[in-house]
Amino acid sequence: MPLINPGLGIIFWMTLTFAIVLFILGKYAWPAILKGLKEREESIQEALDAAKKTQEDMKLLKLDNEKLLKEAKEERNTILREARKAKENIIAEAKEKASSETSKIVESAKERIEIEKQAALIDIKNTIATFSIEIAEKVLKEELKDPKNQKEYVNRLLKETNLN
Amino acid sequence: MERKLIVFQSVVFFIFFIAFSFGINSLHAEEHHDNSGRKKNAEKEEMKIGDMIIEHITDSYEWHIMTVGEHNFTINLPVIIYNQGNWIIFSSKRFEDGHAEYRGFYVSEKKGINQGKIVLKNAEGEEIRPQLDISITKTVFAIMINALLVILVFLSVAKAYSRRKGEAPKGLQSLLEPIILFIRDDVAKSSIGSKHFEKYLPYLLSLFFFIFFSNIIGIIPFFPGGANVTGNIAVTGVMAAFTFVITTVSGNKHYWVDIFNTQGIPWWLKAPIPLMPIVEIMGVFTKPIVLMIRLFANMSAGHTVILGFVSLIFIFGKISLGLGYGVSVVSVGFSIFLDLLELLVAFIQAYVFTLLSALYFGMAIAEPEHH
């Protein structure tokens, strides 16, 4: 029967030891452990909440981004369209300018040609006049070589003058 | 849960009885073929095995670790006795393995309530116990080792929690954390209620881990294990008493009213013969007693069965060497199975003790239901 006969000594030591265990663990171990667990659980919960919030924020951000992208695309298209228009304008203008310039140049060239032509004509007239005088001189010199002819000519000239 | 446990306990006891009847039957079978000398021998062997098992699961004044040849390796523990106004302290070595006496004190070998305990002879020559015996026995020593272990383990775990704040658990911390959470959430919170459970949590955790560690260490067959701490009725009794005191102290008005004037039952059960109050008051005391006996019986039974299986090898070995070897295979197999079962029982019994304590606390502080 010793199995079911509780010994006083064991009761005494067990009470003492168990009380010490309860005291030490209750004071130094469990508060720290339970606090640590609670804090970690809270921090995990917070992290989860934060992650959820971040996800939502990301979703909003994505929507924003998409909107921005769409706007940017539209703007790009507008700019491109405008640029194309501007390019066409510039080309047209340039063409116009070029053609007007060309016509101007042609005009001035024509004027110059005209002026040169006139100058050349005057030159030619002068040269012909000189040639005519020289030829006339030579002819006169040839005809007036003999004095009879000179006399005749002078008479004729005098006659003509008298008539006047 | 309760139902499952009963089934489980029945299975353990069933195996236990089969094992023993098998062993004894085989011995009887052997007797018929053998001469009377052999018969006496076998009977003596049988007795010795029974004594050996009882000796292993009860307390002793020294801690026998092992015997190599003629030499016993024993830890001699201090004997502390108070008798007739004197404190007497000496080493248990003086008993010389129970063969010698010291100043009139010796270890009783007589069958009975005092077997294995220190006694002295009174004037009539009867064995009586000294007035006070608070010796550091094997069980006390094991209690201290277990307590120290629990304290060291949880102080280190607590340190880990404060040092690695908010980080993932590591090592010992991560091994014990699921159990701590289990006790907190599934035992304390669900039994006591989320409002008050934090007050009782330190006690429940300490209780659980002390029982659990003691159970596990008790399964280890060599020092510092092997002592039958939670299979000692005084140990379980003290823990049950702590639970009882806490329950009684925390009892609110509703708890006491329910005991003395149970609601919702016919008046004639309460007066003129206070039948229900008597039952309820008995219930107050049976609760801790049941706690005490359940843990004690489970752990002692487990140790007994395992020792029984191991002893079978030697019983059969005495009959014939070959039979001993043959049985050893079966015995070792069964012992392994039972050791694994004991691991489960170690957890389950610690859990049940803690859960029932928590339920009692929950009952003591429960607010009246509004119908």
Side-chain angles (χ1 to χ4, degrees):
Chain A
M1 293 318 269
L3 201 58
I4 52 161
N5 178 20
L8 195 70
I10 297 176
I11 293 176
F12 170 74
W13 288 111
M14 176 63 191
T15 311
L16 188 73
T17 318
F18 196 55
I20 291 170
V21 169
L22 288 181
F23 176 76
I24 291 178
L25 291 185
K27 191 155 184 192
Y28 301 105
W30 301 126
I33 291 171
L34 294 171
K35 203 174 128 232
L37 278 173
K38 213 173 188 175
E39 272 174 7
R40 198 169 66 215
E41 271 164 11
E42 275 162 10
S43 81
I44 289 171
Q45 192 55 50
E46 271 166 28
L48 283 175
D49 289 347
K52 210 173 181 184
K53 206 172 158 272
T54 314
Q55 219 170 23
E56 268 161 26
D57 283 359
M58 282 293 288
K59 226 182 240 168
L60 283 178
L61 211 70
K62 216 175 156 189
L63 277 176
D64 258 24
N65 278 350
E66 268 168 17
K67 216 170 113 194
L68 273 174
L69 206 70
K70 216 172 154 191
E71 276 174 12
K73 264 183 189 164
E74 261 165 32
E75 211 173 314
R76 189 197 65 182
N77 285 348
T78 331
I79 289 169
L80 277 176
R81 219 176 295 132
E82 272 167 13
R84 211 172 287 140
K85 222 188 258 168
K87 182 192 82 179
E88 275 161 13
N89 280 351
I90 287 166
I91 290 172
E93 237 170 67
K95 268 184 185 165
E96 221 169 86
K97 221 176 174 181
S99 65
S100 75
E101 200 80 354
T102 333
S103 55
K104 234 189 232 165
I105 290 167
V106 170
E107 204 81 0
S108 75
K110 271 181 185 166
E111 266 169 37
R112 286 278 291 274
I113 289 167
E114 198 61 32
I115 290 166
E116 296 289 315
K117 208 172 89 185
Q118 293 299 324
L121 280 174
I122 291 166
D123 215 28
I124 289 167
K125 272 180 189 167
N126 285 342
T127 311
I128 289 170
T130 315
F131 278 161
S132 311
I133 290 167
E134 273 175 12
I135 290 166
E137 206 182 82
K138 270 174 188 170
V139 169
L140 279 178
K141 267 182 184 169
E142 239 348 277
E143 272 188 14
L144 296 178
K145 245 177 202 172
D146 113 72
K148 188 187 138 195
N149 281 359
Q150 272 180 19
K151 222 173 180 178
E152 232 173 87
Y153 187 63
V154 173
N155 286 337
R156 199 175 60 226
L157 278 175
L158 283 170
K159 240 184 211 168
E160 270 170 31
T161 314
N162 285 341
L163 280 170
N164 281 343
Chain B
M1 191 70 234
E2 200 75 351
R3 234 184 91 92
K4 266 188 199 165
L5 273 174
I6 290 164
V7 171
F8 178 71
Q9 284 164 8
S10 324
V11 169
V12 171
F13 277 103
F14 182 66
I15 292 167
F16 171 77
F17 280 121
I18 287 185
F20 267 73
S21 48
F22 180 53
I24 292 159
N25 282 341
S26 309
L27 281 173
H28 286 309
E30 191 68 20
E31 280 159 23
H32 291 298
H33 304 291
D34 235 311
N35 56 37
S36 59
R38 188 71 182 267
K39 181 178 168 183
K40 261 188 192 156
N41 224 2
E43 256 175 8
K44 220 171 140 194
E45 199 57 43
E46 197 182 319
M47 293 289 285
K48 262 173 81 182
I49 294 290
D51 286 349
M52 185 275 284
I53 290 173
I54 290 294
E55 200 185 294
H56 264 88
I57 61 171
T58 50
D59 208 0
S60 60
Y61 288 94
E62 74 284 311
W63 196 325
H64 178 241
I65 295 170
M66 59 177 172
T67 304
V68 179
E70 288 292 294
H71 193 78
N72 280 331
F73 287 95
T74 309
I75 298 175
N76 291 299
L77 298 162
V79 174
I80 306 165
I81 291 171
Y82 178 82
N83 201 37
Q84 287 162 344
N86 292 318
W87 284 102
I88 305 160
I89 301 170
F90 58 93
S91 165
S92 63
K93 198 177 176 185
R94 307 240 182 231
F95 291 135
E96 293 165 18
D97 288 339
H99 302 308
E101 61 167 68
Y102 178 76
R103 292 172 70 174
F105 299 107
Y106 61 98
V107 180
S108 172
E109 285 179 341
K110 236 197 254 169
K111 286 247 177 228
I113 201 101
N114 288 335
Q115 191 186 6
K117 293 193 170 160
I118 289 179
V119 289
L120 69 160
K121 283 207 162 75
N122 65 3
E124 284 85 45
E126 290 164 344
E127 285 183 349
I128 55 157
R129 296 273 289 142
Q131 282 166 320
L132 209 59
D133 174 8
I134 52 164
S135 308
I136 310 286
T137 58
K138 181 181 170 183
T139 307
V140 173
F141 193 46
I143 290 168
M144 288 171 172
I145 292 172
N146 296 350
L148 197 69
L149 191 77
V150 173
I151 289 171
L152 289 178
V153 163
F154 285 98
L155 285 184
S156 103
V157 169
K159 219 164 112 195
Y161 273 104
S162 40
R163 199 179 49 229
R164 300 165 39 80
K165 245 188 192 107
E167 286 176 59
K170 212 175 148 191
L172 203 58
Q173 192 191 0
S174 60
L175 180 74
L176 293 167
E177 189 174 300
I179 310 178
I180 296 172
L181 287 176
F182 171 67
I183 298 297
R184 189 191 70 180
D185 297 335
D186 296 330
V187 175
K189 206 186 250 174
S190 61
S191 309
I192 303 172
S194 51
K195 220 163 102 192
H196 298 288
F197 82 99
E198 270 169 341
K199 198 166 67 180
Y200 299 99
L201 199 49
Y203 172 72
L204 292 172
L205 285 164
S206 305
L207 182 73
F208 176 84
F209 282 107
F210 185 80
I211 298 174
F212 185 52
F213 277 42
S214 298
N215 287 351
I216 295 286
I217 293 167
I219 302 171
I220 302 168
F222 43 82
F223 184 81
N228 189 19
V229 172
T230 39
N232 186 299
I233 200 157
V235 173
T236 60
V238 168
M239 289 187 290
F242 269 88
T243 295
F244 172 70
V245 169
I246 293 171
T247 312
T248 311
V249 168
S250 352
N252 61 10
K253 196 180 147 209
H254 173 248
Y255 174 72
W256 293 113
V257 165
D258 217 38
I259 287 170
F260 291 107
N261 184 18
T262 315
Q263 304 298 305
I265 55 161
W267 63 268
W268 48 265
L269 279 175
K270 293 183 245 181
I273 310 161
L275 205 60
M276 271 317 282
I278 288 171
V279 170
E280 286 285 341
I281 289 164
M282 273 169 64
V284 169
F285 293 100
T286 45
K287 279 172 197 165
I289 289 169
V290 165
L291 275 186
M292 166 176 88
I293 292 173
R294 179 184 288 110
L295 183 58
F296 150 74
N298 268 285
M299 296 324 291
S300 288
H303 284 243
T304 310
V305 177
I306 291 170
L307 284 166
F309 271 112
V310 176
S311 304
L312 275 183
I313 302 170
F314 298 99
I315 295 171
F316 281 100
K318 274 274 163 7
I319 298 163
S320 97
L321 201 61
L323 201 57
Y325 281 124
V327 169
S328 73
V329 177
V330 182
S331 271
V332 168
F334 265 106
S335 295
I336 291 168
F337 166 68
L338 283 166
D339 269 329
L340 294 176
L341 204 67
E342 278 297 293
L343 278 177
L344 192 68
V345 173
F347 182 83
I348 290 173
Q349 288 307 320
Y351 165 65
V352 167
F353 201 109
T354 315
L355 178 71
L356 289 175
S357 293
L359 281 172
Y360 299 158
F361 299 158
M363 274 184 223
I365 59 155
E367 294 299 327
E369 286 167 42
H370 299 287
H371 294 290

